[in-house]
Amino acid sequence: MTISDTFDAVHPVNDRYTPPQTGELDQIAAVFTDGRLSGGAPVLAEYERALADWFGVRRAVAVNSGSSAIHAAFVALDVRPGDEVLVPATAPIPTALPILTCGAIPVIVDTGPGSLALHAADLKAKITARTKAAISLPLWGYPVDDADAATVLAEAGVPLIEDACQAHGTRIRGQYAGTRYRAGCFSTHDRKLLSTGEGGFVLTDDLELADRIDHYTHLGHLKGTQHGVNYKLAAPLAAIGLTRLRELHTQLQQRRDNAHQILAGLPRDGSILAELPYAKGDEPNYYNLVLTTRPDKAEATATAFAAAGLPPDSSRYRYKPLYHQPIFAQYATPCPNAEQLTATTIQLPVHPGMTPSALRWVTDRTHALAEGQP
């Protein structure tokens, strides 16, 4: 089954969410009327202020992609060729490529048992004199409590950043993902909750770090005193983001309602399927609803979901721990917890664009598979 065949009339669930228009065209028209379409247009500063206000941080810097956001954060933290960056084994390719862009070495760390959080003991064992930064990853928008790992890193003087590219609105210990550590990096790619087509941003309370990121992503503001690149976000995309940000709370609630509808009918014993666990009081944003199954049921369950038209990431995208990707194979270390997690998770769409009939269909199929029915 290919991605193109996955969603059709028989399997009526499209996992791509297209937000309804809520004034984007008017915002874009205003930008065109103003005539300034580049990353230096006034709407960029307005968008950055709105982002900072929404997430409750001191600064936001808008950029042209989530990968650019991560790369710029690394550069601002002085990650250089030969340095090491600690990255969870569950990281997808876009999380880790910026490490290579810096000429640095990815050091792949296992996650905790049944968790997306960095395994504190494995992390501690892999810190060296060359360790320059570490990444926390709330994948699929699920809360990641890296408190133990953060303590280890703080004691070693290693800054921690969050790749929150899928975690807009995710809550962890009362804070938004992307606001808990030195910096948070987000994508606004077409598939993200806050979508501008392409784009991203960095959040931080560290004003000096924000200035370094801003200067690097704006060609050093053409002062000729430091190196920089052109990672600016174009004005029309900022206008889209500014408009859609106002609807983000509504979208979050709709996703949570949809996820809870599917979860409500699962067998309470969790014998085959249960939600990926997270701490009490935390809230996923439900970029996807993520279910887990027992290791002895993993292959059969993934096959059953794929046959039902709901293929998990392990089959749709061949998702496995990072070191299974050829470009990262040389950095492989044993990560048994991440191996099990990636093999036993099922990702389901719960976005607001799902029709009531599509949501019922996903709910019915999920419940049937949870009860062992074909």
Side-chain angles (χ1 to χ4, degrees):
M1 181 179 292
T2 65
I3 293 176
S4 60
D5 321 297
T6 300
F7 305 105
D8 55 30
V10 178
H11 306 128
V13 182
N14 190 336
D15 70 343
R16 181 180 291 276
Y17 173 53
T18 301
Q21 292 187 18
T22 56
E24 293 93 334
L25 295 179
D26 291 339
Q27 285 279 2
I28 293 171
V31 169
F32 274 87
T33 298
D34 175 80
R36 288 172 285 185
L37 305 182
S38 75
V43 71
L44 264 295
E46 186 180 357
Y47 178 45
E48 289 175 337
R49 285 194 299 271
L51 287 168
D53 289 345
W54 198 98
F55 287 94
V57 297
R58 299 179 73 185
R59 283 286 300 277
V61 180
V63 293
N64 60 7
S65 75
S67 294
S68 296
I70 296 171
H71 179 223
F74 285 153
V75 170
L77 292 170
D78 199 32
V79 175
R80 299 184 180 187
D83 289 338
E84 295 175 349
V85 176
L86 300 160
V87 58
T90 50
I93 291 174
T95 300
L97 283 179
I99 302 172
L100 301 184
T101 304
C102 290
I105 300 166
V107 177
I108 300 174
V109 180
D110 201 6
T111 53
S115 170
L116 290 165
L118 291 162
H119 191 290
D122 192 42
L123 179 84
K124 186 172 184 177
K126 290 174 177 175
I127 294 175
T128 73
R130 294 192 296 173
T131 305
K132 211 60 171 290
I135 302 174
S136 172
L137 179 66
L139 192 63
W140 304 303
Y142 268 71
V144 172
D145 191 346
D146 276 318
D148 291 343
T151 298
V152 171
L153 292 165
E155 291 173 350
V158 176
L160 178 59
I161 70 169
E162 292 174 274
D163 174 2
C165 286
Q166 296 180 355
H168 311 68
T170 297
R171 301 281 292 187
I172 309 168
R173 293 195 175 193
Q175 293 178 270
Y176 284 120
T179 69
R180 304 180 68 229
Y181 302 117
R182 192 71 179 277
C185 302
F186 292 78
S187 167
T188 57
H189 178 266
D190 202 33
R191 284 186 173 272
K192 303 305 187 287
L193 270 70
L194 178 61
S195 167
T196 61
E198 297 286 356
F201 55 91
V202 184
L203 303 179
T204 184
D205 284 321
D206 184 332
L207 297 183
E208 183 181 353
L209 183 69
D211 283 342
R212 291 201 295 271
I213 292 169
D214 179 72
H215 277 76
Y216 180 71
T217 57
H218 289 71
L219 296 164
H221 289 291
L222 301 179
K223 293 182 178 179
T225 58
Q226 64 187 74
H227 175 62
V229 294
N230 186 3
Y231 281 170
K232 298 191 300 295
L233 184 68
L237 301 186
I240 294 172
L242 186 62
T243 304
R244 290 182 171 177
L245 183 62
R246 298 169 188 148
E247 304 299 321
L248 185 52
H249 280 301
T250 299
Q251 185 188 160
L252 285 164
Q253 188 58 55
Q254 291 174 326
R255 286 177 179 266
R256 288 168 178 151
D257 289 346
N258 289 350
H260 294 157
Q261 177 174 322
I262 295 172
L263 290 170
L266 289 181
R268 292 184 181 276
D269 62 4
S271 56
I272 295 180
L273 291 173
E275 187 175 14
L276 182 69
Y278 54 89
K280 184 178 180 180
D282 290 354
E283 290 185 288
N285 70 353
Y286 289 112
Y287 177 86
N288 288 126
L289 168 61
V290 181
L291 304 177
T292 63
T293 188
R294 300 197 322 249
D296 63 311
K297 297 283 188 180
E299 185 174 353
T301 302
T303 299
F305 269 94
L310 296 166
D313 285 1
S314 57
S315 56
R316 287 193 73 198
Y317 304 117
R318 301 179 301 279
Y319 174 63
K320 292 182 177 181
L322 183 63
Y323 46 78
H324 286 274
Q325 305 296 338
I327 196 171
F328 295 105
Q330 63 181 302
Y331 308 109
T333 60
C335 295
N337 295 329
E339 289 283 354
Q340 180 167 309
L341 183 74
T342 58
T344 57
T345 49
I346 307 293
Q347 299 78 22
L348 299 177
V350 289
H351 60 75
M354 294 175 68
T355 64
S357 61
L359 184 60
R360 283 194 301 272
W361 183 81
V362 172
T363 302
D364 292 343
R365 294 305 307 137
T366 302
H367 294 173
L369 292 169
E371 293 173 352
Q373 300 175 26

